[in-house]
Amino acid sequence: MSHKPWIQLPLREGQCSRQAHCDLPEGTYERELGREGFYGPVTQMHHRHPPTAWSHFEGPLRPHALDLTQLDSTQECPWSVSPFLYNQDTAIRFWRLSLSMQNLVRNSDGDELLFIHEGQGEFFCDYGHLSITEGDYLVIPRGTAWRIETSVPIVMLMVENKDGCYRLPDKGVAGYNAVYDPAVLDHPEINNQFKAQQDENEWQIRIKRLDAISTLTYPFNPLDAVGWHGTNTVVRLNWRDIRPLTSHRYHLPPSVHTTFVGQGFVVCTFCPRPIETDPNALKVPFFHNNDDFDEVIFYHQGNFFSRDHIDAGMVTFHPCGFPHGPHPKALKKSMEDPHTFTNEVAVMIDTRRPLSLSRQAEQVDIRAYADSWKSPASTDKD
C-alpha cells in the first residue's frame, strides 16, 4: 500500500492568508520558508517590507550573476573546460565547440547532461547517431563514448551527475504523461549516417576518471556497433516538447518544472507559459529562502520576467541561506500591469550540497548583482 499523507492542519498566527501565494494581507510581502527544496515542510510568513530590501550585502553568501559569454571556454575536448560551479555531486561547465571533435570522449565519473544553447550538429556515440540543435537536452550514460560533428558552432551547458544516474521526476497525481510524455524522448539510431562514419583509421577516446584524463588509441573507429538492445542508452529531449504544469489561480513552485533528477540535485526547465489570471494570485516567483538547496539558473532565451539586466548566456547563483525573489520593478509591474504570458526559457539546477565558484567564474561575476533588489530610494542613498 503506497504511503499517503495524513490530514494535517497547519498552525496560524497573526495576519495571514488562507492560501499560499494568494490573497495576501494588504500591504504585506509573503516569504516562503521551505525545507528540502519545495518538497518538505513549509511556512508562509507575511512581512511589512520586501524580504530582499536590504541596504547592504557583505560576505561570501551574496548572490552572483555570471556572464558566461565572457568565459574563454572554446576547446575541442570538454574535459579541458574547467567547471564554473561544482560540489561533490555535480560539476557544471559552459563549453564552446567551434569545430568538429577529432577524438571521442568518455566520462567514467558519472552521467553527463548536455543542454544545447546555440548551434547544431551531429552526435555520434556507442548507440548510434542523433542530430542535435538549439534547445536539446542530451542525457549521456556513464561510460558512453561519443563525439560531435558541428554544422554550426555549438555552445552548451554541461551538468555532470557524479557517480549517479539521471532519472525521471516523480510526477505524482499529475500522472505518467504529464510535463513531458516519455514517448517524446529520442534515442540514437544505427542508421546510414552512423554506418558511414565507421572506418579503419586511428581513433582515440579521451576518458575522464577521477577528473584525470587517460587516452585509449584504436587502429579503427570504436563506434562500430551493428546493433544493440536494452534499456541503457542516450536520450534526447527538446524544451519545446515540455508542456509545463500551470494554474490560472496559483503560482506553482519551481519543483513542478523538474525535468531530470540527479544524485543530490535536480534539473528544472522554465518554458513559456500563461501568467496567472486570478487577480489575487501572485504572478511572479514568490520570495523564498530555500534553506536546504543552492539555486543556479542558466538563461537560454527570452526575457526572465522576475529579473532585470539578465541576458541569454548568463547564470544566476543563489547560495542557500538568504531570501530571494522578484526584483522591485518586476514585482511592481506584476501588481499594476501584469504580463499575460512568459517567453523565457531557462535551466535551473538546485543542489543539496553547497556549490563552489571557480576562479574563472569569479572573473565574470557581476559584483553589483547583490544590489539589484534594492528599492530606488535605497539605491539613491548609496
Side-chain angles (χ1 to χ4, degrees):
M1 189 174 189
S2 62
H3 170 74
K4 297 178 178 62
W6 293 97
I7 294 176
Q8 296 181 7
L9 300 179
L11 301 173
R12 301 178 68 186
E13 186 64 37
Q15 281 187 286
C16 62
S17 61
R18 292 172 58 85
Q19 164 69 55
H21 321 321
C22 302
D23 303 307
L24 307 186
E26 187 175 355
T28 67
Y29 299 86
E30 179 195 65
R31 175 171 62 111
E32 179 166 297
L33 291 83
R35 302 304 306 276
E36 298 301 322
F38 307 105
Y39 292 96
V42 63
T43 288
Q44 309 300 328
M45 193 166 291
H46 301 279
H47 296 274
R48 296 179 186 274
H49 302 95
T52 55
W54 49 71
S55 57
H56 297 87
F57 201 125
E58 299 177 2
L61 196 62
R62 69 178 180 84
H64 301 269
L66 311 175
D67 187 355
L68 301 186
T69 65
Q70 301 301 310
L71 279 179
D72 182 13
S73 57
T74 302
Q75 297 286 344
E76 193 267 337
C77 176
W79 316 143
S80 299
V81 179
S82 299
F84 63 89
L85 285 167
Y86 56 92
N87 65 12
Q88 294 168 262
D89 298 317
T90 187
I92 308 173
R93 295 174 168 86
F94 188 69
W95 180 32
R96 297 177 180 275
L97 181 63
S98 56
L99 300 172
S100 298
M101 298 169 65
Q102 300 303 307
N103 300 284
L104 299 160
V105 296
R106 174 185 290 154
N107 188 346
S108 290
D109 287 328
D111 284 15
E112 200 73 55
L113 177 67
L114 310 185
F115 178 75
I116 310 302
H117 177 51
E118 296 177 4
Q120 60 188 46
E122 310 302 325
F123 179 84
F124 297 93
C125 67
D126 287 317
Y127 301 97
H129 162 261
L130 276 170
S131 293
I132 56 175
T133 191
E134 170 272 317
D136 279 342
Y137 282 107
L138 281 177
V139 179
I140 307 174
R142 177 177 179 169
T144 301
W146 57 274
R147 67 182 178 89
I148 294 174
E149 291 183 3
T150 58
S151 49
V152 176
I154 294 177
V155 180
M156 68 192 86
L157 189 73
M158 301 181 64
V159 186
E160 181 179 353
N161 188 9
K162 294 183 179 179
D163 201 25
C165 300
Y166 276 108
R167 302 174 186 269
L168 301 185
D170 179 4
K171 300 174 186 177
V173 296
Y176 177 77
N177 305 108
V179 186
Y180 64 88
D181 190 324
V184 305
L185 296 173
D186 297 310
H187 66 267
E189 298 178 353
I190 305 287
N191 54 21
N192 289 336
Q193 213 164 342
F194 181 71
K195 293 175 182 177
Q197 58 91 49
Q198 296 175 345
D199 58 34
E200 301 301 315
N201 298 323
E202 185 176 276
W203 284 86
Q204 291 184 339
I205 305 179
R206 308 276 172 83
I207 304 171
K208 185 174 79 70
R209 174 59 178 158
L210 300 178
D211 288 327
I213 311 302
S214 300
T215 301
L216 204 54
T217 302
Y218 290 86
F220 56 88
N221 184 347
L223 301 186
D224 63 352
V226 297
W228 56 270
H229 61 94
T231 56
N232 182 43
T233 186
V234 170
V235 293
R236 179 186 64 192
L237 171 72
N238 193 282
W239 68 260
R240 295 170 180 84
D241 289 319
I242 297 174
R243 300 174 185 269
L245 294 179
T246 63
S247 169
H248 70 288
R249 301 198 65 206
Y250 171 73
H251 189 91
L252 296 171
S255 49
V256 304
H257 305 299
T258 302
T259 311
F260 301 106
V261 179
Q263 180 167 286
F265 66 97
V266 296
V267 178
C268 306
T269 311
F270 299 138
C271 298
R273 62 169 182 81
I275 297 288
E276 296 78 16
T277 56
D278 188 301
N280 294 318
L282 282 178
K283 298 170 179 62
V284 286
F286 42 87
F287 294 107
H288 62 285
N289 275 38
N290 202 2
D291 279 320
D292 290 311
F293 280 68
D294 280 6
E295 179 186 287
V296 177
I297 301 181
F298 172 78
Y299 299 88
H300 172 53
Q301 68 179 45
N303 296 310
F304 197 67
F305 69 116
S306 68
R307 292 281 179 273
D308 293 326
H309 310 300
I310 297 295
D311 299 318
M314 295 181 67
V315 154
T316 56
F317 168 37
H318 300 158
C320 77
F322 71 93
H324 52 277
H327 285 163
K329 281 168 49 178
L331 182 60
K332 186 173 186 290
K333 179 171 175 53
S334 75
M335 294 187 290
E336 298 177 354
D337 182 26
H339 292 293
T340 59
F341 209 87
T342 72
N343 70 345
E344 72 191 28
V345 180
V347 177
M348 184 176 83
I349 305 152
D350 269 13
T351 67
R352 187 63 178 79
R353 301 176 193 262
L355 289 161
S356 296
L357 199 64
S358 72
R359 290 183 179 178
Q360 294 94 328
E362 290 175 354
Q363 296 172 2
V364 297
D365 188 7
I366 300 172
R367 303 287 299 184
Y369 179 62
D371 294 330
S372 60
W373 280 275
K374 289 183 179 181
S375 66
S378 173
T379 304
D380 291 341
K381 293 176 184 177
D382 290 344

